[in-house]
PDB file of all heavy atoms in Angstrom:
ATOM      1  N   ARG A   1      -6.600  -1.649   3.425  1.00 98.00           N
ATOM      2  CA  ARG A   1      -7.336  -2.350   2.394  1.00 98.00           C
ATOM      3  C   ARG A   1      -8.763  -1.752   2.323  1.00 98.00           C
ATOM      4  O   ARG A   1      -9.418  -1.529   3.317  1.00 98.00           O
ATOM      5  CB  ARG A   1      -7.425  -3.835   2.724  1.00 98.00           C
ATOM      6  CG  ARG A   1      -7.973  -4.690   1.565  1.00 98.00           C
ATOM      7  CD  ARG A   1      -8.328  -6.082   2.066  1.00 98.00           C
ATOM      8  NE  ARG A   1      -7.234  -6.771   2.718  1.00 98.00           N
ATOM      9  CZ  ARG A   1      -6.365  -7.593   2.137  1.00 98.00           C
ATOM     10  NH1 ARG A   1      -6.493  -7.863   0.845  1.00 98.00           N
ATOM     11  NH2 ARG A   1      -5.420  -8.184   2.839  1.00 98.00           N
ATOM     12  N   ASN A   2      -9.226  -1.536   1.086  1.00 98.00           N
ATOM     13  CA  ASN A   2     -10.530  -0.960   0.850  1.00 98.00           C
ATOM     14  C   ASN A   2     -11.591  -2.039   1.005  1.00 98.00           C
ATOM     15  O   ASN A   2     -11.658  -2.991   0.242  1.00 98.00           O
ATOM     16  CB  ASN A   2     -10.582  -0.356  -0.549  1.00 98.00           C
ATOM     17  CG  ASN A   2     -11.799   0.507  -0.782  1.00 98.00           C
ATOM     18  OD1 ASN A   2     -12.786   0.421  -0.048  1.00 98.00           O
ATOM     19  ND2 ASN A   2     -11.759   1.322  -1.832  1.00 98.00           N
ATOM     20  N   ARG A   3     -12.444  -1.883   2.005  1.00 97.00           N
ATOM     21  CA  ARG A   3     -13.563  -2.800   2.271  1.00 97.00           C
ATOM     22  C   ARG A   3     -14.908  -2.164   1.975  1.00 97.00           C
ATOM     23  O   ARG A   3     -15.944  -2.660   2.432  1.00 97.00           O
ATOM     24  CB  ARG A   3     -13.528  -3.273   3.728  1.00 97.00           C
ATOM     25  CG  ARG A   3     -12.268  -4.050   4.122  1.00 97.00           C
ATOM     26  CD  ARG A   3     -12.201  -5.359   3.400  1.00 97.00           C
ATOM     27  NE  ARG A   3     -11.222  -6.272   4.014  1.00 97.00           N
ATOM     28  CZ  ARG A   3     -10.905  -7.450   3.526  1.00 97.00           C
ATOM     29  NH1 ARG A   3     -11.449  -7.877   2.394  1.00 97.00           N
ATOM     30  NH2 ARG A   3     -10.017  -8.216   4.128  1.00 97.00           N
ATOM     31  N   SER A   4     -14.903  -1.077   1.210  1.00 97.00           N
ATOM     32  CA  SER A   4     -16.179  -0.379   0.922  1.00 97.00           C
ATOM     33  C   SER A   4     -17.078  -1.238   0.071  1.00 97.00           C
ATOM     34  O   SER A   4     -16.615  -2.075  -0.735  1.00 97.00           O
ATOM     35  CB  SER A   4     -15.881   0.932   0.189  1.00 97.00           C
ATOM     36  OG  SER A   4     -14.927   1.708   0.903  1.00 97.00           O
ATOM     37  N   THR A   5     -18.368  -1.045   0.238  1.00 93.00           N
ATOM     38  CA  THR A   5     -19.330  -1.701  -0.644  1.00 93.00           C
ATOM     39  C   THR A   5     -19.648  -0.764  -1.793  1.00 93.00           C
ATOM     40  O   THR A   5     -19.613   0.469  -1.655  1.00 93.00           O
ATOM     41  CB  THR A   5     -20.621  -2.044   0.112  1.00 93.00           C
ATOM     42  OG1 THR A   5     -21.179  -0.851   0.679  1.00 93.00           O
ATOM     43  CG2 THR A   5     -20.372  -3.066   1.206  1.00 93.00           C
ATOM     44  N   ALA A   6     -19.938  -1.332  -2.931  1.00 93.00           N
ATOM     45  CA  ALA A   6     -20.203  -0.519  -4.131  1.00 93.00           C
ATOM     46  C   ALA A   6     -21.391   0.401  -3.899  1.00 93.00           C
ATOM     47  O   ALA A   6     -22.500  -0.040  -3.543  1.00 93.00           O
ATOM     48  CB  ALA A   6     -20.478  -1.436  -5.328  1.00 93.00           C
ATOM     49  N   GLY A   7     -21.145   1.688  -4.006  1.00 93.00           N
ATOM     50  CA  GLY A   7     -22.196   2.681  -3.780  1.00 93.00           C
ATOM     51  C   GLY A   7     -22.515   2.917  -2.324  1.00 93.00           C
ATOM     52  O   GLY A   7     -23.438   3.671  -2.019  1.00 93.00           O
ATOM     53  N   GLY A   8     -21.741   2.334  -1.421  1.00 93.00           N
ATOM     54  CA  GLY A   8     -22.047   2.453   0.015  1.00 93.00           C
ATOM     55  C   GLY A   8     -21.024   3.247   0.771  1.00 93.00           C
ATOM     56  O   GLY A   8     -20.155   3.922   0.206  1.00 93.00           O
ATOM     57  N   ALA A   9     -21.112   3.165   2.090  1.00 94.00           N
ATOM     58  CA  ALA A   9     -20.193   3.885   2.977  1.00 94.00           C
ATOM     59  C   ALA A   9     -18.784   3.397   2.763  1.00 94.00           C
ATOM     60  O   ALA A   9     -18.537   2.234   2.373  1.00 94.00           O
ATOM     61  CB  ALA A   9     -20.592   3.711   4.430  1.00 94.00           C
ATOM     62  N   LEU A  10     -17.808   4.273   2.993  1.00 98.00           N
ATOM     63  CA  LEU A  10     -16.415   3.931   2.845  1.00 98.00           C
ATOM     64  C   LEU A  10     -15.912   3.220   4.100  1.00 98.00           C
ATOM     65  O   LEU A  10     -16.231   3.582   5.213  1.00 98.00           O
ATOM     66  CB  LEU A  10     -15.575   5.203   2.610  1.00 98.00           C
ATOM     67  CG  LEU A  10     -16.031   6.085   1.434  1.00 98.00           C
ATOM     68  CD1 LEU A  10     -15.100   7.276   1.296  1.00 98.00           C
ATOM     69  CD2 LEU A  10     -16.095   5.307   0.135  1.00 98.00           C
ATOM     70  N   ARG A  11     -15.122   2.174   3.868  1.00 98.00           N
ATOM     71  CA  ARG A  11     -14.592   1.394   4.994  1.00 98.00           C
ATOM     72  C   ARG A  11     -13.235   0.814   4.615  1.00 98.00           C
ATOM     73  O   ARG A  11     -13.046   0.300   3.510  1.00 98.00           O
ATOM     74  CB  ARG A  11     -15.560   0.275   5.380  1.00 98.00           C
ATOM     75  CG  ARG A  11     -15.121  -0.486   6.639  1.00 98.00           C
ATOM     76  CD  ARG A  11     -16.282  -1.352   7.147  1.00 98.00           C
ATOM     77  NE  ARG A  11     -16.590  -2.437   6.254  1.00 98.00           N
ATOM     78  CZ  ARG A  11     -16.010  -3.650   6.280  1.00 98.00           C
ATOM     79  NH1 ARG A  11     -15.054  -3.869   7.164  1.00 98.00           N
ATOM     80  NH2 ARG A  11     -16.366  -4.574   5.448  1.00 98.00           N
ATOM     81  N   PHE A  12     -12.285   0.886   5.558  1.00 98.00           N
ATOM     82  CA  PHE A  12     -10.933   0.406   5.345  1.00 98.00           C
ATOM     83  C   PHE A  12     -10.471  -0.386   6.551  1.00 98.00           C
ATOM     84  O   PHE A  12     -10.815  -0.089   7.687  1.00 98.00           O
ATOM     85  CB  PHE A  12      -9.963   1.571   5.096  1.00 98.00           C
ATOM     86  CG  PHE A  12     -10.188   2.278   3.787  1.00 98.00           C
ATOM     87  CD1 PHE A  12     -11.162   3.270   3.673  1.00 98.00           C
ATOM     88  CD2 PHE A  12      -9.424   1.998   2.665  1.00 98.00           C
ATOM     89  CE1 PHE A  12     -11.384   3.926   2.462  1.00 98.00           C
ATOM     90  CE2 PHE A  12      -9.605   2.668   1.480  1.00 98.00           C
ATOM     91  CZ  PHE A  12     -10.591   3.639   1.368  1.00 98.00           C
ATOM     92  N   ASP A  13      -9.644  -1.414   6.301  1.00 98.00           N
ATOM     93  CA  ASP A  13      -8.960  -2.172   7.350  1.00 98.00           C
ATOM     94  C   ASP A  13      -7.470  -2.064   7.154  1.00 98.00           C
ATOM     95  O   ASP A  13      -6.976  -2.184   6.018  1.00 98.00           O
ATOM     96  CB  ASP A  13      -9.355  -3.658   7.297  1.00 98.00           C
ATOM     97  CG  ASP A  13     -10.838  -3.896   7.647  1.00 98.00           C
ATOM     98  OD1 ASP A  13     -11.419  -3.053   8.327  1.00 98.00           O
ATOM     99  OD2 ASP A  13     -11.372  -4.925   7.242  1.00 98.00           O
ATOM    100  N   GLU A  14      -6.740  -1.877   8.231  1.00 98.00           N
ATOM    101  CA  GLU A  14      -5.269  -1.815   8.121  1.00 98.00           C
ATOM    102  C   GLU A  14      -4.723  -3.187   7.765  1.00 98.00           C
ATOM    103  O   GLU A  14      -5.167  -4.219   8.309  1.00 98.00           O
ATOM    104  CB  GLU A  14      -4.622  -1.282   9.391  1.00 98.00           C
ATOM    105  CG  GLU A  14      -3.139  -1.108   9.242  1.00 98.00           C
ATOM    106  CD  GLU A  14      -2.466  -0.478  10.429  1.00 98.00           C
ATOM    107  OE1 GLU A  14      -3.200  -0.061  11.389  1.00 98.00           O
ATOM    108  OE2 GLU A  14      -1.217  -0.364  10.442  1.00 98.00           O
ATOM    109  N   VAL A  15      -3.721  -3.201   6.890  1.00 97.00           N
ATOM    110  CA  VAL A  15      -3.065  -4.445   6.492  1.00 97.00           C
ATOM    111  C   VAL A  15      -1.631  -4.427   7.025  1.00 97.00           C
ATOM    112  O   VAL A  15      -0.861  -3.527   6.702  1.00 97.00           O
ATOM    113  CB  VAL A  15      -2.993  -4.562   4.935  1.00 97.00           C
ATOM    114  CG1 VAL A  15      -2.283  -5.844   4.519  1.00 97.00           C
ATOM    115  CG2 VAL A  15      -4.388  -4.538   4.346  1.00 97.00           C
ATOM    116  N   PRO A  16      -1.258  -5.355   7.912  1.00 96.00           N
ATOM    117  CA  PRO A  16       0.141  -5.404   8.364  1.00 96.00           C
ATOM    118  C   PRO A  16       1.061  -5.675   7.194  1.00 96.00           C
ATOM    119  O   PRO A  16       0.855  -6.592   6.378  1.00 96.00           O
ATOM    120  CB  PRO A  16       0.151  -6.596   9.347  1.00 96.00           C
ATOM    121  CG  PRO A  16      -1.287  -6.817   9.729  1.00 96.00           C
ATOM    122  CD  PRO A  16      -2.094  -6.411   8.530  1.00 96.00           C
ATOM    123  N   LEU A  17       2.084  -4.852   7.060  1.00 96.00           N
ATOM    124  CA  LEU A  17       2.994  -4.992   5.934  1.00 96.00           C
ATOM    125  C   LEU A  17       4.144  -5.991   6.146  1.00 96.00           C
ATOM    126  O   LEU A  17       4.731  -6.466   5.198  1.00 96.00           O
ATOM    127  CB  LEU A  17       3.585  -3.611   5.583  1.00 96.00           C
ATOM    128  CG  LEU A  17       2.637  -2.691   4.839  1.00 96.00           C
ATOM    129  CD1 LEU A  17       3.139  -1.253   4.828  1.00 96.00           C
ATOM    130  CD2 LEU A  17       2.466  -3.187   3.387  1.00 96.00           C
ATOM    131  N   GLY A  18       4.434  -6.257   7.406  1.00 95.00           N
ATOM    132  CA  GLY A  18       5.474  -7.260   7.699  1.00 95.00           C
ATOM    133  C   GLY A  18       6.864  -6.823   7.278  1.00 95.00           C
ATOM    134  O   GLY A  18       7.725  -7.675   7.060  1.00 95.00           O
ATOM    135  N   LEU A  19       7.107  -5.529   7.173  1.00 97.00           N
ATOM    136  CA  LEU A  19       8.411  -5.009   6.827  1.00 97.00           C
ATOM    137  C   LEU A  19       9.183  -4.572   8.071  1.00 97.00           C
ATOM    138  O   LEU A  19       8.590  -4.466   9.167  1.00 97.00           O
ATOM    139  CB  LEU A  19       8.267  -3.836   5.868  1.00 97.00           C
ATOM    140  CG  LEU A  19       7.575  -4.097   4.536  1.00 97.00           C
ATOM    141  CD1 LEU A  19       7.253  -2.818   3.845  1.00 97.00           C
ATOM    142  CD2 LEU A  19       8.403  -5.008   3.671  1.00 97.00           C
ATOM    143  N   ASP A  20      10.465  -4.347   7.901  1.00 97.00           N
ATOM    144  CA  ASP A  20      11.248  -3.771   8.992  1.00 97.00           C
ATOM    145  C   ASP A  20      10.624  -2.429   9.384  1.00 97.00           C
ATOM    146  O   ASP A  20      10.419  -1.565   8.525  1.00 97.00           O
ATOM    147  CB  ASP A  20      12.698  -3.577   8.518  1.00 97.00           C
ATOM    148  CG  ASP A  20      13.630  -3.139   9.626  1.00 97.00           C
ATOM    149  OD1 ASP A  20      13.187  -2.386  10.522  1.00 97.00           O
ATOM    150  OD2 ASP A  20      14.822  -3.493   9.583  1.00 97.00           O
ATOM    151  N   PRO A  21      10.330  -2.210  10.668  1.00 97.00           N
ATOM    152  CA  PRO A  21       9.702  -0.946  11.059  1.00 97.00           C
ATOM    153  C   PRO A  21      10.505   0.294  10.613  1.00 97.00           C
ATOM    154  O   PRO A  21       9.891   1.345  10.341  1.00 97.00           O
ATOM    155  CB  PRO A  21       9.639  -1.051  12.592  1.00 97.00           C
ATOM    156  CG  PRO A  21       9.590  -2.533  12.845  1.00 97.00           C
ATOM    157  CD  PRO A  21      10.459  -3.136  11.797  1.00 97.00           C
ATOM    158  N   ASP A  22      11.830   0.163  10.563  1.00 97.00           N
ATOM    159  CA  ASP A  22      12.637   1.310  10.145  1.00 97.00           C
ATOM    160  C   ASP A  22      12.328   1.721   8.679  1.00 97.00           C
ATOM    161  O   ASP A  22      12.482   2.871   8.307  1.00 97.00           O
ATOM    162  CB  ASP A  22      14.120   0.991  10.262  1.00 97.00           C
ATOM    163  CG  ASP A  22      14.595   0.934  11.717  1.00 97.00           C
ATOM    164  OD1 ASP A  22      13.851   1.430  12.601  1.00 97.00           O
ATOM    165  OD2 ASP A  22      15.667   0.375  11.964  1.00 97.00           O
ATOM    166  N   ASP A  23      11.932   0.766   7.866  1.00 98.00           N
ATOM    167  CA  ASP A  23      11.611   1.067   6.466  1.00 98.00           C
ATOM    168  C   ASP A  23      10.316   1.840   6.320  1.00 98.00           C
ATOM    169  O   ASP A  23      10.092   2.490   5.288  1.00 98.00           O
ATOM    170  CB  ASP A  23      11.540  -0.211   5.624  1.00 98.00           C
ATOM    171  CG  ASP A  23      12.875  -0.881   5.470  1.00 98.00           C
ATOM    172  OD1 ASP A  23      13.924  -0.174   5.550  1.00 98.00           O
ATOM    173  OD2 ASP A  23      12.926  -2.117   5.254  1.00 98.00           O
ATOM    174  N   LEU A  24       9.449   1.779   7.312  1.00 98.00           N
ATOM    175  CA  LEU A  24       8.188   2.520   7.260  1.00 98.00           C
ATOM    176  C   LEU A  24       8.273   3.823   8.028  1.00 98.00           C
ATOM    177  O   LEU A  24       7.279   4.565   8.134  1.00 98.00           O
ATOM    178  CB  LEU A  24       7.065   1.655   7.827  1.00 98.00           C
ATOM    179  CG  LEU A  24       6.767   0.370   7.021  1.00 98.00           C
ATOM    180  CD1 LEU A  24       5.717  -0.480   7.709  1.00 98.00           C
ATOM    181  CD2 LEU A  24       6.373   0.703   5.583  1.00 98.00           C
ATOM    182  N   ASP A  25       9.435   4.142   8.543  1.00 98.00           N
ATOM    183  CA  ASP A  25       9.677   5.401   9.239  1.00 98.00           C
ATOM    184  C   ASP A  25      10.210   6.402   8.244  1.00 98.00           C
ATOM    185  O   ASP A  25      10.795   6.036   7.217  1.00 98.00           O
ATOM    186  CB  ASP A  25      10.686   5.181  10.370  1.00 98.00           C
ATOM    187  CG  ASP A  25      10.884   6.426  11.231  1.00 98.00           C
ATOM    188  OD1 ASP A  25       9.953   7.233  11.320  1.00 98.00           O
ATOM    189  OD2 ASP A  25      11.984   6.572  11.801  1.00 98.00           O
ATOM    190  N   LYS A  26       9.978   7.681   8.503  1.00 98.00           N
ATOM    191  CA  LYS A  26      10.532   8.785   7.694  1.00 98.00           C
ATOM    192  C   LYS A  26      10.016   8.731   6.243  1.00 98.00           C
ATOM    193  O   LYS A  26      10.718   9.146   5.323  1.00 98.00           O
ATOM    194  CB  LYS A  26      12.053   8.803   7.725  1.00 98.00           C
ATOM    195  CG  LYS A  26      12.644   8.926   9.101  1.00 98.00           C
ATOM    196  CD  LYS A  26      14.168   8.983   9.057  1.00 98.00           C
ATOM    197  CE  LYS A  26      14.756   9.081  10.464  1.00 98.00           C
ATOM    198  NZ  LYS A  26      16.248   9.093  10.429  1.00 98.00           N
ATOM    199  N   VAL A  27       8.814   8.248   6.027  1.00 98.00           N
ATOM    200  CA  VAL A  27       8.227   8.212   4.692  1.00 98.00           C
ATOM    201  C   VAL A  27       7.496   9.522   4.446  1.00 98.00           C
ATOM    202  O   VAL A  27       6.638   9.934   5.216  1.00 98.00           O
ATOM    203  CB  VAL A  27       7.257   7.014   4.516  1.00 98.00           C
ATOM    204  CG1 VAL A  27       6.600   7.048   3.141  1.00 98.00           C
ATOM    205  CG2 VAL A  27       8.001   5.697   4.729  1.00 98.00           C
ATOM    206  N   LEU A  28       7.852  10.198   3.339  1.00 98.00           N
ATOM    207  CA  LEU A  28       7.234  11.487   3.011  1.00 98.00           C
ATOM    208  C   LEU A  28       6.142  11.344   1.955  1.00 98.00           C
ATOM    209  O   LEU A  28       5.238  12.167   1.895  1.00 98.00           O
ATOM    210  CB  LEU A  28       8.312  12.465   2.496  1.00 98.00           C
ATOM    211  CG  LEU A  28       9.191  13.105   3.550  1.00 98.00           C
ATOM    212  CD1 LEU A  28      10.354  12.190   3.909  1.00 98.00           C
ATOM    213  CD2 LEU A  28       9.757  14.439   3.053  1.00 98.00           C
ATOM    214  N   GLY A  29       6.257  10.358   1.078  1.00 98.00           N
ATOM    215  CA  GLY A  29       5.263  10.210   0.016  1.00 98.00           C
ATOM    216  C   GLY A  29       5.362   8.860  -0.612  1.00 98.00           C
ATOM    217  O   GLY A  29       6.288   8.092  -0.329  1.00 98.00           O
ATOM    218  N   ALA A  30       4.460   8.555  -1.541  1.00 98.00           N
ATOM    219  CA  ALA A  30       4.426   7.257  -2.203  1.00 98.00           C
ATOM    220  C   ALA A  30       3.686   7.346  -3.527  1.00 98.00           C
ATOM    221  O   ALA A  30       2.749   8.121  -3.681  1.00 98.00           O
ATOM    222  CB  ALA A  30       3.757   6.208  -1.302  1.00 98.00           C
ATOM    223  N   TYR A  31       4.151   6.520  -4.488  1.00 98.00           N
ATOM    224  CA  TYR A  31       3.528   6.443  -5.807  1.00 98.00           C
ATOM    225  C   TYR A  31       3.407   4.973  -6.221  1.00 98.00           C
ATOM    226  O   TYR A  31       4.356   4.199  -6.032  1.00 98.00           O
ATOM    227  CB  TYR A  31       4.344   7.187  -6.862  1.00 98.00           C
ATOM    228  CG  TYR A  31       4.259   8.692  -6.729  1.00 98.00           C
ATOM    229  CD1 TYR A  31       5.111   9.375  -5.833  1.00 98.00           C
ATOM    230  CD2 TYR A  31       3.332   9.434  -7.462  1.00 98.00           C
ATOM    231  CE1 TYR A  31       5.048  10.751  -5.727  1.00 98.00           C
ATOM    232  CE2 TYR A  31       3.263  10.808  -7.338  1.00 98.00           C
ATOM    233  CZ  TYR A  31       4.120  11.454  -6.478  1.00 98.00           C
ATOM    234  OH  TYR A  31       4.040  12.820  -6.336  1.00 98.00           O
ATOM    235  N   PRO A  32       2.257   4.562  -6.753  1.00 98.00           N
ATOM    236  CA  PRO A  32       2.132   3.212  -7.280  1.00 98.00           C
ATOM    237  C   PRO A  32       2.669   3.107  -8.686  1.00 98.00           C
ATOM    238  O   PRO A  32       2.449   4.007  -9.507  1.00 98.00           O
ATOM    239  CB  PRO A  32       0.623   2.954  -7.230  1.00 98.00           C
ATOM    240  CG  PRO A  32       0.019   4.322  -7.431  1.00 98.00           C
ATOM    241  CD  PRO A  32       0.998   5.295  -6.834  1.00 98.00           C
ATOM    242  N   LEU A  33       3.377   2.021  -8.976  1.00 98.00           N
ATOM    243  CA  LEU A  33       3.978   1.802 -10.285  1.00 98.00           C
ATOM    244  C   LEU A  33       4.398   0.348 -10.375  1.00 98.00           C
ATOM    245  O   LEU A  33       5.018  -0.186  -9.450  1.00 98.00           O
ATOM    246  CB  LEU A  33       5.206   2.711 -10.455  1.00 98.00           C
ATOM    247  CG  LEU A  33       6.070   2.468 -11.672  1.00 98.00           C
ATOM    248  CD1 LEU A  33       5.351   2.844 -12.948  1.00 98.00           C
ATOM    249  CD2 LEU A  33       7.381   3.236 -11.565  1.00 98.00           C
ATOM    250  N   ASP A  34       4.088  -0.295 -11.485  1.00 98.00           N
ATOM    251  CA  ASP A  34       4.488  -1.686 -11.707  1.00 98.00           C
ATOM    252  C   ASP A  34       5.924  -1.678 -12.254  1.00 98.00           C
ATOM    253  O   ASP A  34       6.173  -1.782 -13.446  1.00 98.00           O
ATOM    254  CB  ASP A  34       3.527  -2.359 -12.694  1.00 98.00           C
ATOM    255  CG  ASP A  34       3.797  -3.836 -12.840  1.00 98.00           C
ATOM    256  OD1 ASP A  34       4.711  -4.351 -12.189  1.00 98.00           O
ATOM    257  OD2 ASP A  34       3.063  -4.490 -13.613  1.00 98.00           O
ATOM    258  N   VAL A  35       6.885  -1.581 -11.347  1.00 98.00           N
ATOM    259  CA  VAL A  35       8.275  -1.387 -11.740  1.00 98.00           C
ATOM    260  C   VAL A  35       8.800  -2.601 -12.528  1.00 98.00           C
ATOM    261  O   VAL A  35       9.462  -2.433 -13.559  1.00 98.00           O
ATOM    262  CB  VAL A  35       9.160  -1.118 -10.518  1.00 98.00           C
ATOM    263  CG1 VAL A  35      10.632  -1.006 -10.904  1.00 98.00           C
ATOM    264  CG2 VAL A  35       8.718   0.158  -9.806  1.00 98.00           C
ATOM    265  N   ASP A  36       8.500  -3.797 -12.038  1.00 98.00           N
ATOM    266  CA  ASP A  36       9.000  -4.996 -12.705  1.00 98.00           C
ATOM    267  C   ASP A  36       8.068  -5.538 -13.751  1.00 98.00           C
ATOM    268  O   ASP A  36       8.347  -6.610 -14.339  1.00 98.00           O
ATOM    269  CB  ASP A  36       9.375  -6.084 -11.679  1.00 98.00           C
ATOM    270  CG  ASP A  36       8.189  -6.457 -10.809  1.00 98.00           C
ATOM    271  OD1 ASP A  36       7.121  -5.839 -10.904  1.00 98.00           O
ATOM    272  OD2 ASP A  36       8.307  -7.418 -10.026  1.00 98.00           O
ATOM    273  N   ASP A  37       6.957  -4.829 -14.000  1.00 96.00           N
ATOM    274  CA  ASP A  37       6.063  -5.133 -15.121  1.00 96.00           C
ATOM    275  C   ASP A  37       5.534  -6.577 -15.067  1.00 96.00           C
ATOM    276  O   ASP A  37       5.382  -7.233 -16.073  1.00 96.00           O
ATOM    277  CB  ASP A  37       6.785  -4.913 -16.450  1.00 96.00           C
ATOM    278  CG  ASP A  37       5.830  -4.464 -17.576  1.00 96.00           C
ATOM    279  OD1 ASP A  37       4.819  -3.805 -17.231  1.00 96.00           O
ATOM    280  OD2 ASP A  37       6.109  -4.728 -18.730  1.00 96.00           O
ATOM    281  N   ASP A  38       5.177  -7.004 -13.830  1.00 97.00           N
ATOM    282  CA  ASP A  38       4.635  -8.352 -13.668  1.00 97.00           C
ATOM    283  C   ASP A  38       3.126  -8.385 -13.498  1.00 97.00           C
ATOM    284  O   ASP A  38       2.518  -9.431 -13.272  1.00 97.00           O
ATOM    285  CB  ASP A  38       5.296  -9.075 -12.476  1.00 97.00           C
ATOM    286  CG  ASP A  38       4.967  -8.408 -11.139  1.00 97.00           C
ATOM    287  OD1 ASP A  38       4.369  -7.300 -11.137  1.00 97.00           O
ATOM    288  OD2 ASP A  38       5.331  -9.008 -10.093  1.00 97.00           O
ATOM    289  N   GLY A  39       2.488  -7.223 -13.617  1.00 96.00           N
ATOM    290  CA  GLY A  39       1.048  -7.116 -13.460  1.00 96.00           C
ATOM    291  C   GLY A  39       0.610  -6.677 -12.092  1.00 96.00           C
ATOM    292  O   GLY A  39      -0.537  -6.265 -11.926  1.00 96.00           O
ATOM    293  N   HIS A  40       1.481  -6.725 -11.071  1.00 97.00           N
ATOM    294  CA  HIS A  40       1.155  -6.263  -9.738  1.00 97.00           C
ATOM    295  C   HIS A  40       1.752  -4.879  -9.528  1.00 97.00           C
ATOM    296  O   HIS A  40       2.928  -4.630  -9.831  1.00 97.00           O
ATOM    297  CB  HIS A  40       1.742  -7.221  -8.673  1.00 97.00           C
ATOM    298  CG  HIS A  40       1.139  -8.575  -8.692  1.00 97.00           C
ATOM    299  ND1 HIS A  40      -0.160  -8.819  -8.295  1.00 97.00           N
ATOM    300  CD2 HIS A  40       1.627  -9.761  -9.086  1.00 97.00           C
ATOM    301  CE1 HIS A  40      -0.415 -10.109  -8.426  1.00 97.00           C
ATOM    302  NE2 HIS A  40       0.662 -10.712  -8.914  1.00 97.00           N
ATOM    303  N   GLN A  41       0.942  -3.982  -8.992  1.00 98.00           N
ATOM    304  CA  GLN A  41       1.454  -2.623  -8.684  1.00 98.00           C
ATOM    305  C   GLN A  41       2.449  -2.699  -7.521  1.00 98.00           C
ATOM    306  O   GLN A  41       2.184  -3.318  -6.506  1.00 98.00           O
ATOM    307  CB  GLN A  41       0.307  -1.706  -8.331  1.00 98.00           C
ATOM    308  CG  GLN A  41      -0.640  -1.380  -9.476  1.00 98.00           C
ATOM    309  CD  GLN A  41      -0.021  -0.402 -10.492  1.00 98.00           C
ATOM    310  OE1 GLN A  41       1.030   0.178 -10.242  1.00 98.00           O
ATOM    311  NE2 GLN A  41      -0.693  -0.215 -11.617  1.00 98.00           N
ATOM    312  N   ASP A  42       3.581  -2.031  -7.685  1.00 98.00           N
ATOM    313  CA  ASP A  42       4.566  -1.880  -6.654  1.00 98.00           C
ATOM    314  C   ASP A  42       4.399  -0.495  -6.005  1.00 98.00           C
ATOM    315  O   ASP A  42       3.567   0.308  -6.459  1.00 98.00           O
ATOM    316  CB  ASP A  42       5.978  -2.026  -7.221  1.00 98.00           C
ATOM    317  CG  ASP A  42       6.112  -3.303  -8.068  1.00 98.00           C
ATOM    318  OD1 ASP A  42       5.709  -4.378  -7.600  1.00 98.00           O
ATOM    319  OD2 ASP A  42       6.613  -3.191  -9.227  1.00 98.00           O
ATOM    320  N   LEU A  43       5.165  -0.219  -4.977  1.00 98.00           N
ATOM    321  CA  LEU A  43       5.116   1.091  -4.332  1.00 98.00           C
ATOM    322  C   LEU A  43       6.516   1.667  -4.277  1.00 98.00           C
ATOM    323  O   LEU A  43       7.469   1.000  -3.859  1.00 98.00           O
ATOM    324  CB  LEU A  43       4.586   0.961  -2.889  1.00 98.00           C
ATOM    325  CG  LEU A  43       3.063   0.898  -2.730  1.00 98.00           C
ATOM    326  CD1 LEU A  43       2.693   0.497  -1.299  1.00 98.00           C
ATOM    327  CD2 LEU A  43       2.415   2.218  -3.092  1.00 98.00           C
ATOM    328  N   VAL A  44       6.618   2.927  -4.720  1.00 98.00           N
ATOM    329  CA  VAL A  44       7.881   3.684  -4.594  1.00 98.00           C
ATOM    330  C   VAL A  44       7.713   4.643  -3.416  1.00 98.00           C
ATOM    331  O   VAL A  44       6.783   5.474  -3.414  1.00 98.00           O
ATOM    332  CB  VAL A  44       8.184   4.437  -5.887  1.00 98.00           C
ATOM    333  CG1 VAL A  44       9.453   5.254  -5.703  1.00 98.00           C
ATOM    334  CG2 VAL A  44       8.338   3.488  -7.065  1.00 98.00           C
ATOM    335  N   LEU A  45       8.556   4.477  -2.412  1.00 98.00           N
ATOM    336  CA  LEU A  45       8.443   5.298  -1.196  1.00 98.00           C
ATOM    337  C   LEU A  45       9.501   6.381  -1.213  1.00 98.00           C
ATOM    338  O   LEU A  45      10.712   6.123  -1.376  1.00 98.00           O
ATOM    339  CB  LEU A  45       8.643   4.453   0.046  1.00 98.00           C
ATOM    340  CG  LEU A  45       7.735   3.216   0.223  1.00 98.00           C
ATOM    341  CD1 LEU A  45       7.860   2.666   1.637  1.00 98.00           C
ATOM    342  CD2 LEU A  45       6.274   3.549  -0.087  1.00 98.00           C
TER     343      LEU A  45
END
């Protein structure tokens, strides 16, 4: 999660995803896309 201040130093905190660990293994890339068109960006892994 981006915790940077506007115009300031960059800062990030890790966000636990709460997914099966196997689903986060062997990931080569990712793209954001609102697949279900509900206004929230989804992730294609």
Side-chain angles (χ1 to χ4, degrees):
R1 191 193 305 266
N2 191 343
R3 297 294 196 185
S4 308
T5 57
L10 306 181
R11 186 166 68 88
F12 292 82
D13 292 337
E14 185 175 355
V15 179
L17 282 165
L19 300 169
D20 186 326
D22 289 343
D23 290 335
L24 297 176
D25 186 28
K26 301 181 181 179
V27 177
L28 285 82
Y31 287 85
L33 170 68
D34 187 0
V35 176
D36 57 354
D37 211 29
D38 65 351
H40 295 289
Q41 292 286 350
D42 310 311
L43 279 170
V44 178
L45 306 191

